[in-house]
Amino acid sequence: MFRIFYPKQRAASAYDIPYERLREKGIRGVIFDIDNTLVPHDAPAEKKTVELFERLHRLGCATCLLSNNKEKRVAEFAGQVDSPYIFKAGKPKMGGYEKAMKLMGTDRTSTLFVGDQLFTDVFGANRAGIASVLVNPINPREEIQIVLKRYPERLVLWFYERDRRKRR
C-alpha cells in the first residue's frame, strides 16, 4: 500500500553511504537534496560536505543538487560544492529529477537520489524510476509544514521496516 514511498535503502547520514561500492555497481550520478540532508536548514556547506562532493567527483560521479528552495539559497550552496543545481524543483514532480539526470549525463539505472523526506524526495525519485536513499534529518527543528509531514512518514516507515524484516 505504501510501497511508492519506500526508499531503496536507508542510511543514518548522506556521509555514511558507501559511494565507492555504489560506483562499482554502476552509479554514475548522485542527486542530493540540501536542507536537512547535507546540512541543517539554510546552513552553508560544511567542510565535510565539500569533501564529500570532491570525493564523488574523484570517483567519476557527477552530482546535482535538487531543491524546492529559492535560487539564491541553492545557487550559493552549489557554488560551495561545485555542483550544478535545480531550484524550485517542485518535488515530488518528476521533471526536476529528469532535468538533473540530463545535466549529469546519466539515466535512471545509473542515478541515485539522496534525501531526508519520504513524501517529496523519495516519492519523486521513485516516480522518476531512480534508486533512492532516505537519510535521517540532520536537525529536528524544521518548518511547520515539514513537521506535520513527519507524522505520516513514521507510519510509512513502520510498514517499510516491517516489510524489510519479512523479506529477510
Side-chain angles (χ1 to χ4, degrees), residues 58-71:
R58 278 193 310 273
L59 284 170
C61 286
T63 59
C64 188
L65 300 170
L66 184 66
S67 176
N68 286 346
N69 216 322
K70 296 176 183 158
E71 185 172 21

Side-chain angles (χ1 to χ4, degrees), residues 119 143-153:
F119 300 132
E143 297 169 348
I144 188 66
Q145 70 271 17
I146 297 171
V147 170
L148 294 174
K149 285 192 272 184
R150 295 292 185 197
Y151 292 104
E153 274 188 2

Side-chain angles (χ1 to χ4, degrees), residues 68-77 85 87-88:
N68 286 346
N69 216 322
K70 296 176 183 158
E71 185 172 21
K72 183 179 185 317
R73 161 68 175 144
V74 181
E76 286 176 5
F77 193 91
Y85 65 90
F87 66 98
K88 288 191 177 179

